[in-house]
Amino acid sequence: MKGETKHKVQQMLKSARLRRTKPRSDILTALLKAHQPLTREQIAERIGACAPNKVTIYRALETFVAADIVHKAFVQNRTWYFELSHHCTADQCHPHFCCRCCGRTDCLHELHIPMTADSGGYIIQHQRVQLEGLCPKCSKSA
Amino acid sequence: MKGETKHKVQQMLKSARLRRTKPRSDILTALLKAHQPLTREQIAERIGACAPNKVTIYRALETFVAADIVHKAFVQNRTWYFELSHHCTADQCHPHFCCRCCGRTDCLHELHIPMTADSGGYIIQHQRVQLEGLCPKCSKSA
DNA sequence: TTGTTCTTGCAACTGAGTTGCATTTGATGT
DNA sequence: ACATCAAATGCAACTCAGTTGCAAGAACAA
Ligand SMILES: [Zn+2]
Ligand SMILES: [Zn+2]
Ligand SMILES: [Zn+2]
Ligand SMILES: [Zn+2]
C-alpha cells in the first residue's frame, strides 16, 4: 500500500529525470492521494508538520508542470489548484466544476468536451475548461 | 458615432437599473470600443488622464458582473481580463486563446465547443474555456 | 430643493506568488 | 566510502492585483 505509492512517486521522478528529494516526493504523494486538485497550502497541510517551505513547494510544482507531471487545473480566489496530469491527454484536460452555492470543486472526468470546429491556424496545445453552477446536492436543496 | 456609443452605454446602465455615473460610462465605453478583454489597468489607460480610481474601477466591474453586463473572461498572470458579455449566451461564453510564444490573447467567437455528455446532476450556469498554444503568426514562424 | 441612498477616492491592508542569496543535498565519478 | 559540483532548499524581503473602511461627493426621487 504505502510502499506502492512511494514506489510510484519515485518512478515518476525518475522517468522525468528529476532529482529524488524528500520535498518533491512528499508533494507528489500528497497529490497522488488527493484525487483532486490542491493548492500550495493544502499540499502543505496534508504533508503536515515537516512540510517544505512554501517557496520550495512552488518551485517543485513549477518544475513538475514543466515536466508535464502536474497540471495547473484552475484558479479560484486568485490561487492555483494543482493536480497530477495522469488523467489528461497532451492537449486536453478534463473539465473542472465549481459550485456557486457551496463552493466545492469537482473533476468531471466523465464529461468529455469535443472540439469540433477547426481552429483556423491556431495550434492548441492545452485546453482548460472551467464550469460554474450548482452541484447535485445544492441543485436538489434549491 | 461617438454619440451612438454614448447612447448605447447609457442604455446598458439604464436597462440594468444602475446609476449613470461618469466612471461607469467611461469604463463601459472603453470595453465597448476594445472588442477584446481588458484588465483594470488597460481600462484605466484607455480612459486616460482622468480615469477613475482603481478601487472605483474594480467596484464598477464587480457591479457589472453581478448585473451580467460584463464577464470575467479569463485570468492571466494573476490578473483578470473583463469583457462585455453581449456575445455570450447565458450559459456559454466563447473560448479565449492565449499564445505561449508571443503572449497575445484572442477571442475565438467562431470556435464553438459543444457540451455533449449529460452532466449528471450538475446545473451548469457558465462555461469558461481557455486555450493555450501557438497563434497563426507564431506557428508559421516556428 | 431637500433628503436619502448609492458611489467615489484615498490610504492602508491582504495574501498568493516571486526573487536573491547563503546553505544543504543528491547524483556521479574515483 | 569519499570528494566534487550542479541542483535543490530555506529564509527574509519583496511584488503587486485586488480588497476594506471610512469620509466626502453625486445621482435620483419626493
Ligand atoms: Zn454545491
Ligand atoms: Zn481534475
Ligand atoms: Zn503568438
Ligand atoms: Zn472574448
Side-chain angles (χ1 to χ4, degrees):
Chain A
M1 303 289 288
K2 285 200 98 175
E4 194 183 325
T5 296
K6 195 169 185 177
H7 181 261
K8 208 182 238 172
V9 162
Q10 297 302 91
Q11 200 55 40
M12 291 174 71
L13 288 170
K14 189 179 179 186
S15 51
R17 303 195 173 198
L18 299 173
R19 286 195 184 175
R20 269 138 299 161
T21 68
K22 188 166 188 312
R24 287 181 175 177
S25 301
D26 289 347
I27 293 166
L28 285 181
T29 302
L31 289 171
L32 191 60
K33 287 181 181 168
H35 294 293
Q36 64 173 301
L38 299 177
T39 65
R40 189 276 310 172
E41 194 165 21
Q42 291 172 326
I43 292 170
E45 283 169 3
R46 294 187 182 219
I47 295 175
C50 55
N53 187 277
K54 71 170 181 174
V55 180
T56 303
I57 298 181
Y58 280 125
R59 286 201 268 233
L61 288 170
E62 187 184 8
T63 303
F64 296 158
V65 169
D68 213 35
I69 298 177
V70 165
H71 279 183
K72 290 177 168 182
F74 59 89
V75 179
Q76 198 170 8
N77 295 123
R78 291 178 60 70
T79 84
W80 276 105
Y81 285 70
F82 299 85
E83 70 181 344
L84 294 183
S85 45
H86 54 197
H87 285 308
C88 306
T89 62
D91 62 340
Q92 181 169 42
C93 193
H94 55 273
H96 288 98
F97 178 89
C98 175
C99 180
R100 283 179 171 168
C101 174
C102 67
R104 64 173 290 181
T105 57
D106 294 329
C107 299
L108 301 185
H109 293 286
E110 328 73 39
L111 185 61
H112 190 67
I113 296 189
M115 188 117 56
T116 53
D118 82 305
S119 38
Y122 292 91
I123 295 178
I124 294 169
Q125 296 173 335
H126 191 70
Q127 181 188 106
R128 178 162 25 240
V129 177
Q130 266 180 270
L131 304 172
E132 291 179 18
L134 298 176
C135 74
K137 284 183 185 173
C138 291
S139 63
K140 277 182 185 169
S141 61
Chain B
M1 301 290 287
K2 284 200 96 175
E4 195 183 323
T5 296
K6 194 169 184 177
H7 181 262
K8 207 183 238 173
V9 163
Q10 296 303 90
Q11 201 54 41
M12 290 174 71
L13 287 169
K14 189 179 179 186
S15 52
R17 304 195 173 197
L18 298 173
R19 285 192 183 177
R20 272 141 292 164
T21 68
K22 188 166 188 312
R24 287 180 177 178
S25 300
D26 289 346
I27 293 166
L28 284 181
T29 302
L31 289 172
L32 192 59
K33 288 181 180 168
H35 294 291
Q36 66 173 297
L38 300 177
T39 64
R40 189 276 310 170
E41 194 165 22
Q42 291 172 327
I43 292 170
E45 282 169 4
R46 295 187 180 220
I47 295 175
C50 55
N53 186 276
K54 69 171 184 175
V55 181
T56 303
I57 299 181
Y58 281 125
R59 286 200 269 232
L61 289 169
E62 186 185 9
T63 303
F64 295 158
V65 170
D68 213 35
I69 298 176
V70 166
H71 278 183
K72 291 179 169 181
F74 57 90
V75 178
Q76 198 170 7
N77 296 123
R78 290 178 61 69
T79 85
W80 275 105
Y81 285 71
F82 299 86
E83 71 181 343
L84 294 182
S85 45
H86 53 197
H87 285 307
C88 306
T89 62
D91 61 341
Q92 181 171 43
C93 194
H94 55 272
H96 288 98
F97 178 88
C98 175
C99 180
R100 284 180 172 168
C101 175
C102 66
R104 64 173 290 179
T105 56
D106 294 328
C107 299
L108 301 185
H109 294 286
E110 329 74 40
L111 186 61
H112 190 67
I113 296 188
M115 188 115 58
T116 52
D118 83 304
S119 39
Y122 291 91
I123 295 178
I124 294 170
Q125 296 173 335
H126 192 70
Q127 180 187 104
R128 180 165 17 243
V129 178
Q130 268 182 266
L131 304 172
E132 291 180 19
L134 299 176
C135 74
K137 283 184 186 174
C138 290
S139 62
K140 278 180 186 170
S141 61

